[in-house]
Amino acid sequence: MSRGTNQKFKFTYLMKMMQEKTDDDHALTMPQIREELEKYGVTAERKSIYADFADMEKFGVEIIKEQIGRETYYHVGTRAFELAEVKLLVDAIQSSKFITQTKSRNLITKMKSFVSQYQGSTLQRQVIINDRVKSMNESVFYNVDEVYTAINENKKIRFKYYKWDINKKLIARKGGDWFEISPWGLTWADENYYMIAYDEWDGNVKTYRVDKMMRISILDEKREGQKEFKAFDMSKLSKTTFGMYGGHKKRVKIQFENSMCGVFLDRFGKEDINFKPIGENWSEFSVEVSVSQHFFGWLFGMGPKVRLVGPDDVVEELKEYGKAYFENMR
C-alpha cells in the first residue's frame, strides 16, 4: 500500500489504532504511532496527530500523555466500558442457558472490541464454552425481539411451544396446536429467559421459556389481561417460584439453624422476610412461595438444618412427596 493513499481516513484509523493497541498498561510513542498509521496507507505529521487527539476527546476517547525517561508515550484512558465491566458482561453471556454456544462466541468476540487487544486476550480464558447445558435454539434473540415488538404494539402473539421427549427431540406441545396469548413482560430467571403472558383460555398469567418458543408471529388482535397482569408481581416471581414451575401459592413457615440464614436472604431478599428466634441457635420465618416438587426438593437439599413446620397441609404434602420418593427407590 503506497504512502498517503488513505489520508481521508486518517482520523478514523488513528482512533481505531489507539483503542486497539493501547491501554493503561500499553502505550505507543509518536514514532510508533506514525509507523502504525503508515500500515494503513496514512502519513501524518506530529501536529496533525496532536490535533486529532484533541478531537478524539470530543468523541469520549481520552488520550493520556505520559513521560517515561526521555520517551513520551500515549495511550487511551477512559473507555465506554471498563475491563471489569466487559468481564462482567462476558460472564453473564457465558452463564445464560438461553444463549447458544455459537451466539455466545459471537457476542463475546464483539465484546472484545470494547477493550484493547491486550485486554481482549485476558477474556480468552472466559471465551471457552464450558461443559454446561446451552440452548440449541438459535432463534431465541429474534424471539425476544418479536415479543418486545408485540408488547410495544399492544398485540397478541402466536407460536408453537416445544418440550423434550425421551429421545432427546423437541416435540410440539398441545399436539402442535398454536398458542395464542397476550405477552406482558420478559424476565431472566434460573439462567433462562421467560415470557410473562396472559392466557385468555384459562384466565391466568403464565410463564413460557423463550428458547422453547418457535415460529412466533404478531397478531392483529389487541392484548388482553391488563388487569390480571397489574395484579401480578413480577419482582416476586423468581423469589417465590422454584425452577419457574408454577404451584399453588401458600404462606409457609420455615425453621432453620442460624448458620443457614444467608440462604434465605439470598433467595427471598431482606425486605420480604423477618427472622424470629426460637431457640439458642434456631430461628423461623414465614414467606409466600409456589408450593411444588421443586420447592420440596430445594428444602431437602439443605438437609437437617432446615425444616418446614407449617401450614399443616403443606407439611403433609412434603411428607407424602418424600415417602413417594423413597418408595420409588426400592
Tab-separated table of all heavy atoms in Angstrom, residues 239-240 242 250-279 282-289 295 298-299 302 305-311:
chain	number	residue	atom	x	y	z
A	239	LYS	N	-38.452	-15.132	43.280
A	239	LYS	CA	-38.272	-15.457	44.690
A	239	LYS	C	-39.226	-16.560	45.131
A	239	LYS	O	-38.849	-17.461	45.883
A	239	LYS	CB	-38.526	-14.217	45.556
A	239	LYS	CG	-37.577	-13.062	45.317
A	239	LYS	CD	-37.950	-11.905	46.216
A	239	LYS	CE	-37.087	-10.686	45.945
A	239	LYS	NZ	-37.468	-9.537	46.795
A	240	THR	N	-40.469	-16.475	44.686
A	240	THR	CA	-41.490	-17.401	45.178
A	240	THR	C	-41.608	-18.664	44.343
A	240	THR	O	-42.133	-19.667	44.799
A	240	THR	CB	-42.867	-16.706	45.213
A	240	THR	OG1	-43.241	-16.316	43.881
A	240	THR	CG2	-42.831	-15.474	46.108
A	242	PHE	N	-39.964	-21.781	42.222
A	242	PHE	CA	-38.743	-22.574	42.192
A	242	PHE	C	-38.627	-23.281	40.847
A	242	PHE	O	-39.497	-24.053	40.463
A	242	PHE	CB	-38.740	-23.585	43.345
A	242	PHE	CG	-38.594	-22.923	44.676
A	242	PHE	CD1	-39.670	-22.295	45.274
A	242	PHE	CD2	-37.363	-22.872	45.300
A	242	PHE	CE1	-39.533	-21.644	46.490
A	242	PHE	CE2	-37.204	-22.230	46.516
A	242	PHE	CZ	-38.304	-21.616	47.115
A	250	LYS	N	-48.795	-20.393	48.691
A	250	LYS	CA	-49.061	-20.594	50.112
A	250	LYS	C	-48.046	-19.808	50.923
A	250	LYS	O	-46.893	-19.663	50.519
A	250	LYS	CB	-48.949	-22.067	50.485
A	250	LYS	CG	-50.148	-22.926	50.097
A	250	LYS	CD	-51.224	-22.847	51.161
A	250	LYS	CE	-52.312	-23.884	50.909
A	250	LYS	NZ	-53.289	-23.905	52.001
A	251	ARG	N	-48.479	-19.331	52.084
A	251	ARG	CA	-47.520	-18.749	53.029
A	251	ARG	C	-47.074	-19.868	53.947
A	251	ARG	O	-47.864	-20.452	54.676
A	251	ARG	CB	-48.139	-17.605	53.823
A	251	ARG	CG	-47.178	-16.992	54.846
A	251	ARG	CD	-47.635	-15.612	55.264
A	251	ARG	NE	-47.434	-14.643	54.192
A	251	ARG	CZ	-46.306	-14.006	53.955
A	251	ARG	NH1	-45.229	-14.230	54.698
A	251	ARG	NH2	-46.210	-13.146	52.974
A	252	VAL	N	-45.786	-20.196	53.892
A	252	VAL	CA	-45.248	-21.316	54.658
A	252	VAL	C	-44.362	-20.799	55.784
A	252	VAL	O	-43.844	-19.676	55.734
A	252	VAL	CB	-44.439	-22.273	53.763
A	252	VAL	CG1	-45.318	-22.847	52.660
A	252	VAL	CG2	-43.224	-21.568	53.159
A	253	LYS	N	-44.190	-21.644	56.803
A	253	LYS	CA	-43.314	-21.313	57.919
A	253	LYS	C	-42.131	-22.274	57.909
A	253	LYS	O	-42.311	-23.493	57.850
A	253	LYS	CB	-44.051	-21.408	59.251
A	253	LYS	CG	-43.206	-20.991	60.460
A	253	LYS	CD	-43.982	-21.114	61.759
A	253	LYS	CE	-45.061	-20.045	61.850
A	253	LYS	NZ	-45.716	-20.065	63.190
A	254	ILE	N	-40.937	-21.706	57.966
A	254	ILE	CA	-39.711	-22.487	57.901
A	254	ILE	C	-38.850	-22.195	59.127
A	254	ILE	O	-38.674	-21.031	59.506
A	254	ILE	CB	-38.909	-22.154	56.620
A	254	ILE	CG1	-39.713	-22.537	55.377
A	254	ILE	CG2	-37.551	-22.850	56.623
A	254	ILE	CD1	-39.074	-22.082	54.065
A	255	GLN	N	-38.339	-23.244	59.750
A	255	GLN	CA	-37.391	-23.108	60.850
A	255	GLN	C	-36.015	-23.545	60.360
A	255	GLN	O	-35.914	-24.457	59.537
A	255	GLN	CB	-37.829	-23.950	62.049
A	255	GLN	CG	-39.134	-23.474	62.662
A	255	GLN	CD	-39.571	-24.326	63.845
A	255	GLN	OE1	-39.021	-25.407	64.098
A	255	GLN	NE2	-40.563	-23.842	64.575
A	256	PHE	N	-34.976	-22.900	60.902
A	256	PHE	CA	-33.634	-23.191	60.392
A	256	PHE	C	-32.577	-22.900	61.455
A	256	PHE	O	-32.788	-22.077	62.357
A	256	PHE	CB	-33.344	-22.355	59.146
A	256	PHE	CG	-33.374	-20.863	59.405
A	256	PHE	CD1	-32.207	-20.173	59.708
A	256	PHE	CD2	-34.568	-20.162	59.357
A	256	PHE	CE1	-32.225	-18.802	59.949
A	256	PHE	CE2	-34.602	-18.797	59.597
A	256	PHE	CZ	-33.432	-18.114	59.898
A	257	GLU	N	-31.446	-23.589	61.305
A	257	GLU	CA	-30.285	-23.286	62.129
A	257	GLU	C	-29.722	-21.956	61.654
A	257	GLU	O	-29.647	-21.688	60.457
A	257	GLU	CB	-29.250	-24.403	61.974
A	257	GLU	CG	-28.105	-24.329	62.972
A	257	GLU	CD	-27.158	-25.503	62.847
A	257	GLU	OE1	-27.573	-26.644	63.160
A	257	GLU	OE2	-26.004	-25.269	62.413
A	258	ASN	N	-29.331	-21.107	62.575
A	258	ASN	CA	-28.953	-19.736	62.235
A	258	ASN	C	-27.854	-19.638	61.173
A	258	ASN	O	-27.785	-18.659	60.434
A	258	ASN	CB	-28.515	-18.984	63.487
A	258	ASN	CG	-29.689	-18.672	64.403
A	258	ASN	OD1	-30.844	-18.739	63.986
A	258	ASN	ND2	-29.399	-18.355	65.653
A	259	SER	N	-27.004	-20.642	61.084
A	259	SER	CA	-25.930	-20.604	60.085
A	259	SER	C	-26.478	-20.633	58.661
A	259	SER	O	-25.760	-20.313	57.713
A	259	SER	CB	-24.981	-21.786	60.289
A	259	SER	OG	-25.664	-23.015	60.125
A	260	MET	N	-27.757	-20.992	58.489
A	260	MET	CA	-28.374	-21.091	57.161
A	260	MET	C	-29.082	-19.812	56.738
A	260	MET	O	-29.682	-19.756	55.670
A	260	MET	CB	-29.376	-22.248	57.147
A	260	MET	CG	-28.796	-23.608	57.482
A	260	MET	SD	-27.620	-24.155	56.235
A	260	MET	CE	-28.715	-24.490	54.865
A	261	CYS	N	-29.009	-18.761	57.559
A	261	CYS	CA	-29.802	-17.560	57.279
A	261	CYS	C	-29.466	-16.942	55.919
A	261	CYS	O	-30.347	-16.409	55.234
A	261	CYS	CB	-29.615	-16.531	58.383
A	261	CYS	SG	-27.937	-15.839	58.490
A	262	GLY	N	-28.191	-17.020	55.505
A	262	GLY	CA	-27.799	-16.422	54.231
A	262	GLY	C	-28.504	-17.018	53.038
A	262	GLY	O	-28.787	-16.325	52.056
A	263	VAL	N	-28.825	-18.310	53.104
A	263	VAL	CA	-29.523	-18.987	52.013
A	263	VAL	C	-30.871	-18.318	51.763
A	263	VAL	O	-31.260	-18.068	50.612
A	263	VAL	CB	-29.729	-20.479	52.340
A	263	VAL	CG1	-30.571	-21.158	51.259
A	263	VAL	CG2	-28.394	-21.177	52.505
A	264	PHE	N	-31.582	-17.990	52.846
A	264	PHE	CA	-32.920	-17.419	52.709
A	264	PHE	C	-32.879	-15.941	52.365
A	264	PHE	O	-33.748	-15.446	51.632
A	264	PHE	CB	-33.707	-17.664	54.004
A	264	PHE	CG	-33.789	-19.114	54.383
A	264	PHE	CD1	-33.085	-19.607	55.468
A	264	PHE	CD2	-34.527	-20.000	53.619
A	264	PHE	CE1	-33.139	-20.947	55.801
A	264	PHE	CE2	-34.589	-21.345	53.938
A	264	PHE	CZ	-33.893	-21.823	55.036
A	265	LEU	N	-31.874	-15.242	52.857
A	265	LEU	CA	-31.728	-13.832	52.490
A	265	LEU	C	-31.397	-13.699	51.008
A	265	LEU	O	-31.910	-12.811	50.319
A	265	LEU	CB	-30.642	-13.173	53.338
A	265	LEU	CG	-30.980	-12.989	54.818
A	265	LEU	CD1	-29.754	-12.497	55.582
A	265	LEU	CD2	-32.133	-12.016	54.996
A	266	ASP	N	-30.537	-14.603	50.506
A	266	ASP	CA	-30.201	-14.586	49.083
A	266	ASP	C	-31.413	-14.908	48.228
A	266	ASP	O	-31.581	-14.356	47.136
A	266	ASP	CB	-29.085	-15.595	48.788
A	266	ASP	CG	-27.734	-15.140	49.308
A	266	ASP	OD1	-27.584	-13.929	49.566
A	266	ASP	OD2	-26.838	-15.989	49.469
A	267	ARG	N	-32.239	-15.816	48.702
A	267	ARG	CA	-33.383	-16.274	47.912
A	267	ARG	C	-34.539	-15.279	47.937
A	267	ARG	O	-35.108	-14.937	46.895
A	267	ARG	CB	-33.865	-17.625	48.446
A	267	ARG	CG	-35.084	-18.180	47.721
A	267	ARG	CD	-34.723	-18.713	46.352
A	267	ARG	NE	-35.875	-18.733	45.468
A	267	ARG	CZ	-35.912	-19.404	44.332
A	267	ARG	NH1	-34.873	-20.100	43.945
A	267	ARG	NH2	-36.972	-19.358	43.555
A	268	PHE	N	-34.897	-14.797	49.127
A	268	PHE	CA	-36.118	-14.010	49.261
A	268	PHE	C	-35.877	-12.519	49.465
A	268	PHE	O	-36.802	-11.725	49.347
A	268	PHE	CB	-36.958	-14.548	50.433
A	268	PHE	CG	-37.353	-15.993	50.280
A	268	PHE	CD1	-36.766	-16.972	51.064
A	268	PHE	CD2	-38.294	-16.373	49.345
A	268	PHE	CE1	-37.131	-18.313	50.929
A	268	PHE	CE2	-38.668	-17.708	49.196
A	268	PHE	CZ	-38.072	-18.673	49.985
A	269	GLY	N	-34.660	-12.128	49.777
A	269	GLY	CA	-34.369	-10.721	49.991
A	269	GLY	C	-34.631	-10.287	51.424
A	269	GLY	O	-35.426	-10.891	52.140
A	270	LYS	N	-33.967	-9.220	51.827
A	270	LYS	CA	-34.077	-8.759	53.220
A	270	LYS	C	-35.432	-8.148	53.526
A	270	LYS	O	-35.869	-8.148	54.678
A	270	LYS	CB	-32.973	-7.741	53.508
A	270	LYS	CG	-31.565	-8.321	53.455
A	270	LYS	CD	-30.534	-7.302	53.920
A	270	LYS	CE	-30.443	-6.138	52.973
A	270	LYS	NZ	-29.360	-5.185	53.358
A	271	GLU	N	-36.084	-7.593	52.504
A	271	GLU	CA	-37.321	-6.849	52.749
A	271	GLU	C	-38.534	-7.758	52.966
A	271	GLU	O	-39.500	-7.352	53.619
A	271	GLU	CB	-37.596	-5.902	51.573
A	271	GLU	CG	-36.462	-4.932	51.277
A	271	GLU	CD	-36.157	-4.023	52.452
A	271	GLU	OE1	-37.108	-3.630	53.154
A	271	GLU	OE2	-34.975	-3.715	52.658
A	272	ASP	N	-38.497	-8.975	52.427
A	272	ASP	CA	-39.690	-9.820	52.413
A	272	ASP	C	-39.756	-10.844	53.535
A	272	ASP	O	-40.759	-11.543	53.675
A	272	ASP	CB	-39.789	-10.558	51.068
A	272	ASP	CG	-40.076	-9.602	49.923
A	272	ASP	OD1	-40.576	-8.498	50.209
A	272	ASP	OD2	-39.803	-9.946	48.768
A	273	ILE	N	-38.701	-10.975	54.328
A	273	ILE	CA	-38.739	-11.951	55.416
A	273	ILE	C	-38.203	-11.335	56.704
A	273	ILE	O	-37.359	-10.452	56.682
A	273	ILE	CB	-37.922	-13.224	55.081
A	273	ILE	CG1	-36.475	-12.881	54.740
A	273	ILE	CG2	-38.574	-14.008	53.962
A	273	ILE	CD1	-35.599	-14.100	54.507
A	274	ASN	N	-38.747	-11.809	57.823
A	274	ASN	CA	-38.301	-11.381	59.144
A	274	ASN	C	-38.013	-12.617	59.982
A	274	ASN	O	-38.879	-13.493	60.129
A	274	ASN	CB	-39.371	-10.528	59.830
A	274	ASN	CG	-39.572	-9.189	59.140
A	274	ASN	OD1	-38.640	-8.406	59.004
A	274	ASN	ND2	-40.797	-8.935	58.684
A	275	PHE	N	-36.808	-12.693	60.521
A	275	PHE	CA	-36.414	-13.838	61.329
A	275	PHE	C	-36.852	-13.652	62.776
A	275	PHE	O	-36.689	-12.567	63.349
A	275	PHE	CB	-34.897	-14.037	61.277
A	275	PHE	CG	-34.364	-14.344	59.905
A	275	PHE	CD1	-33.113	-13.880	59.503
A	275	PHE	CD2	-35.103	-15.111	59.005
A	275	PHE	CE1	-32.616	-14.165	58.244
A	275	PHE	CE2	-34.614	-15.409	57.745
A	275	PHE	CZ	-33.371	-14.932	57.363
A	276	LYS	N	-37.361	-14.740	63.359
A	276	LYS	CA	-37.780	-14.738	64.764
A	276	LYS	C	-37.018	-15.842	65.499
A	276	LYS	O	-37.125	-17.005	65.127
A	276	LYS	CB	-39.289	-14.986	64.857
A	276	LYS	CG	-39.801	-15.122	66.276
A	276	LYS	CD	-41.275	-15.480	66.263
A	276	LYS	CE	-41.773	-15.747	67.672
A	276	LYS	NZ	-43.201	-16.180	67.660
A	277	PRO	N	-36.256	-15.498	66.526
A	277	PRO	CA	-35.513	-16.521	67.270
A	277	PRO	C	-36.474	-17.504	67.956
A	277	PRO	O	-37.498	-17.091	68.515
A	277	PRO	CB	-34.737	-15.711	68.307
A	277	PRO	CG	-34.715	-14.309	67.782
A	277	PRO	CD	-35.993	-14.139	67.030
A	278	ILE	N	-36.137	-18.791	67.910
A	278	ILE	CA	-36.972	-19.796	68.582
A	278	ILE	C	-36.133	-20.706	69.484
A	278	ILE	O	-36.638	-21.666	70.044
A	278	ILE	CB	-37.732	-20.672	67.560
A	278	ILE	CG1	-36.741	-21.353	66.608
A	278	ILE	CG2	-38.767	-19.859	66.810
A	278	ILE	CD1	-37.390	-22.397	65.713
A	279	GLY	N	-34.882	-20.403	69.634
A	279	GLY	CA	-34.005	-21.210	70.477
A	279	GLY	C	-32.622	-20.609	70.483
A	279	GLY	O	-32.381	-19.532	69.935
A	282	TRP	N	-31.502	-21.416	66.706
A	282	TRP	CA	-32.511	-21.626	65.668
A	282	TRP	C	-33.424	-20.418	65.556
A	282	TRP	O	-33.638	-19.692	66.529
A	282	TRP	CB	-33.344	-22.877	65.954
A	282	TRP	CG	-32.640	-24.152	65.591
A	282	TRP	CD1	-31.588	-24.734	66.237
A	282	TRP	CD2	-32.933	-24.990	64.467
A	282	TRP	NE1	-31.193	-25.877	65.614
A	282	TRP	CE2	-32.010	-26.079	64.516
A	282	TRP	CE3	-33.865	-24.955	63.449
A	282	TRP	CZ2	-32.006	-27.100	63.573
A	282	TRP	CZ3	-33.879	-25.963	62.498
A	282	TRP	CH2	-32.952	-27.019	62.554
A	283	SER	N	-33.952	-20.208	64.339
A	283	SER	CA	-34.903	-19.129	64.078
A	283	SER	C	-35.965	-19.636	63.121
A	283	SER	O	-35.864	-20.748	62.574
A	283	SER	CB	-34.202	-17.905	63.487
A	283	SER	OG	-33.219	-17.402	64.356
A	284	GLU	N	-36.990	-18.813	62.895
A	284	GLU	CA	-38.033	-19.174	61.940
A	284	GLU	C	-38.526	-17.919	61.230
A	284	GLU	O	-38.319	-16.798	61.693
A	284	GLU	CB	-39.202	-19.882	62.623
A	284	GLU	CG	-40.035	-19.005	63.526
A	284	GLU	CD	-41.232	-19.743	64.123
A	284	GLU	OE1	-41.241	-20.991	64.116
A	284	GLU	OE2	-42.148	-19.045	64.607
A	285	PHE	N	-39.165	-18.122	60.084
A	285	PHE	CA	-39.774	-17.023	59.347
A	285	PHE	C	-40.894	-17.595	58.482
A	285	PHE	O	-40.991	-18.814	58.278
A	285	PHE	CB	-38.739	-16.309	58.470
A	285	PHE	CG	-38.267	-17.114	57.289
A	285	PHE	CD1	-38.799	-16.914	56.026
A	285	PHE	CD2	-37.282	-18.089	57.445
A	285	PHE	CE1	-38.358	-17.661	54.930
A	285	PHE	CE2	-36.836	-18.835	56.365
A	285	PHE	CZ	-37.381	-18.626	55.106
A	286	SER	N	-41.731	-16.729	57.972
A	286	SER	CA	-42.790	-17.149	57.050
A	286	SER	C	-42.653	-16.365	55.759
A	286	SER	O	-42.217	-15.205	55.760
A	286	SER	CB	-44.178	-16.930	57.658
A	286	SER	OG	-44.399	-15.561	57.907
A	287	VAL	N	-43.011	-17.025	54.657
A	287	VAL	CA	-42.876	-16.397	53.347
A	287	VAL	C	-43.838	-17.066	52.378
A	287	VAL	O	-44.179	-18.242	52.542
A	287	VAL	CB	-41.427	-16.532	52.830
A	287	VAL	CG1	-41.070	-17.984	52.544
A	287	VAL	CG2	-41.188	-15.676	51.592
A	288	GLU	N	-44.305	-16.313	51.392
A	288	GLU	CA	-45.198	-16.872	50.383
A	288	GLU	C	-44.373	-17.496	49.272
A	288	GLU	O	-43.455	-16.870	48.738
A	288	GLU	CB	-46.105	-15.791	49.798
A	288	GLU	CG	-47.172	-16.341	48.861
A	288	GLU	CD	-48.097	-15.272	48.330
A	288	GLU	OE1	-47.618	-14.395	47.574
A	288	GLU	OE2	-49.282	-15.305	48.664
A	289	VAL	N	-44.695	-18.747	48.928
A	289	VAL	CA	-43.996	-19.452	47.846
A	289	VAL	C	-45.017	-20.176	46.982
A	289	VAL	O	-46.173	-20.352	47.360
A	289	VAL	CB	-42.975	-20.487	48.397
A	289	VAL	CG1	-41.950	-19.818	49.287
A	289	VAL	CG2	-43.680	-21.613	49.138
A	295	PHE	N	-39.931	-26.904	44.994
A	295	PHE	CA	-39.782	-26.271	46.302
A	295	PHE	C	-39.388	-27.311	47.349
A	295	PHE	O	-38.483	-27.085	48.157
A	295	PHE	CB	-41.090	-25.585	46.695
A	295	PHE	CG	-41.125	-25.126	48.128
A	295	PHE	CD1	-40.198	-24.206	48.611
A	295	PHE	CD2	-42.089	-25.626	48.995
A	295	PHE	CE1	-40.237	-23.790	49.937
A	295	PHE	CE2	-42.125	-25.216	50.322
A	295	PHE	CZ	-41.205	-24.293	50.792
A	298	TRP	N	-35.831	-28.304	46.913
A	298	TRP	CA	-34.954	-27.248	47.416
A	298	TRP	C	-34.780	-27.376	48.922
A	298	TRP	O	-33.661	-27.248	49.447
A	298	TRP	CB	-35.546	-25.895	47.047
A	298	TRP	CG	-34.750	-24.702	47.469
A	298	TRP	CD1	-33.566	-24.276	46.956
A	298	TRP	CD2	-35.106	-23.759	48.486
A	298	TRP	NE1	-33.156	-23.122	47.593
A	298	TRP	CE2	-34.080	-22.782	48.532
A	298	TRP	CE3	-36.198	-23.638	49.352
A	298	TRP	CZ2	-34.114	-21.708	49.418
A	298	TRP	CZ3	-36.223	-22.572	50.235
A	298	TRP	CH2	-35.193	-21.614	50.268
A	299	LEU	N	-35.874	-27.650	49.631
A	299	LEU	CA	-35.795	-27.837	51.076
A	299	LEU	C	-34.964	-29.061	51.437
A	299	LEU	O	-34.101	-29.011	52.320
A	299	LEU	CB	-37.206	-27.979	51.676
A	299	LEU	CG	-38.071	-26.722	51.728
A	299	LEU	CD1	-39.459	-27.070	52.239
A	299	LEU	CD2	-37.439	-25.658	52.624
A	302	MET	N	-31.138	-28.839	51.559
A	302	MET	CA	-30.459	-28.143	52.658
A	302	MET	C	-30.286	-29.017	53.889
A	302	MET	O	-29.682	-28.587	54.878
A	302	MET	CB	-31.210	-26.853	52.998
A	302	MET	CG	-31.024	-25.783	51.928
A	302	MET	SD	-31.837	-24.233	52.308
A	302	MET	CE	-33.536	-24.629	51.900
A	305	LYS	N	-30.663	-29.072	58.750
A	305	LYS	CA	-30.581	-27.752	59.364
A	305	LYS	C	-31.780	-26.874	59.016
A	305	LYS	O	-31.877	-25.739	59.477
A	305	LYS	CB	-29.294	-27.048	58.930
A	305	LYS	CG	-28.026	-27.712	59.452
A	305	LYS	CD	-26.795	-26.926	59.061
A	305	LYS	CE	-25.523	-27.570	59.616
A	305	LYS	NZ	-24.313	-26.796	59.271
A	306	VAL	N	-32.682	-27.395	58.196
A	306	VAL	CA	-33.875	-26.655	57.771
A	306	VAL	C	-35.089	-27.566	57.872
A	306	VAL	O	-35.014	-28.749	57.519
A	306	VAL	CB	-33.721	-26.142	56.318
A	306	VAL	CG1	-35.018	-25.511	55.836
A	306	VAL	CG2	-32.574	-25.150	56.219
A	307	ARG	N	-36.197	-27.050	58.379
A	307	ARG	CA	-37.417	-27.859	58.439
A	307	ARG	C	-38.644	-26.995	58.165
A	307	ARG	O	-38.720	-25.834	58.585
A	307	ARG	CB	-37.540	-28.552	59.791
A	307	ARG	CG	-37.489	-27.648	60.992
A	307	ARG	CD	-37.438	-28.455	62.278
A	307	ARG	NE	-37.353	-27.602	63.445
A	307	ARG	CZ	-36.465	-27.745	64.421
A	307	ARG	NH1	-35.562	-28.715	64.361
A	307	ARG	NH2	-36.469	-26.930	65.474
A	308	LEU	N	-39.576	-27.571	57.432
A	308	LEU	CA	-40.861	-26.923	57.143
A	308	LEU	C	-41.833	-27.285	58.268
A	308	LEU	O	-42.026	-28.465	58.567
A	308	LEU	CB	-41.394	-27.417	55.792
A	308	LEU	CG	-42.732	-26.853	55.335
A	308	LEU	CD1	-42.576	-25.388	54.919
A	308	LEU	CD2	-43.287	-27.655	54.158
A	309	VAL	N	-42.471	-26.281	58.868
A	309	VAL	CA	-43.341	-26.553	60.026
A	309	VAL	C	-44.777	-26.079	59.826
A	309	VAL	O	-45.622	-26.293	60.694
A	309	VAL	CB	-42.754	-25.915	61.306
A	309	VAL	CG1	-41.423	-26.563	61.658
A	309	VAL	CG2	-42.597	-24.406	61.164
A	310	GLY	N	-45.079	-25.458	58.734
A	310	GLY	CA	-46.453	-25.003	58.531
A	310	GLY	C	-46.651	-24.408	57.148
A	310	GLY	O	-45.671	-24.030	56.490
A	311	PRO	N	-47.918	-24.388	56.711
A	311	PRO	CA	-49.117	-24.909	57.383
A	311	PRO	C	-49.177	-26.436	57.314
A	311	PRO	O	-48.407	-27.062	56.575
A	311	PRO	CB	-50.256	-24.261	56.588
A	311	PRO	CG	-49.685	-24.062	55.228
A	311	PRO	CD	-48.235	-23.744	55.422
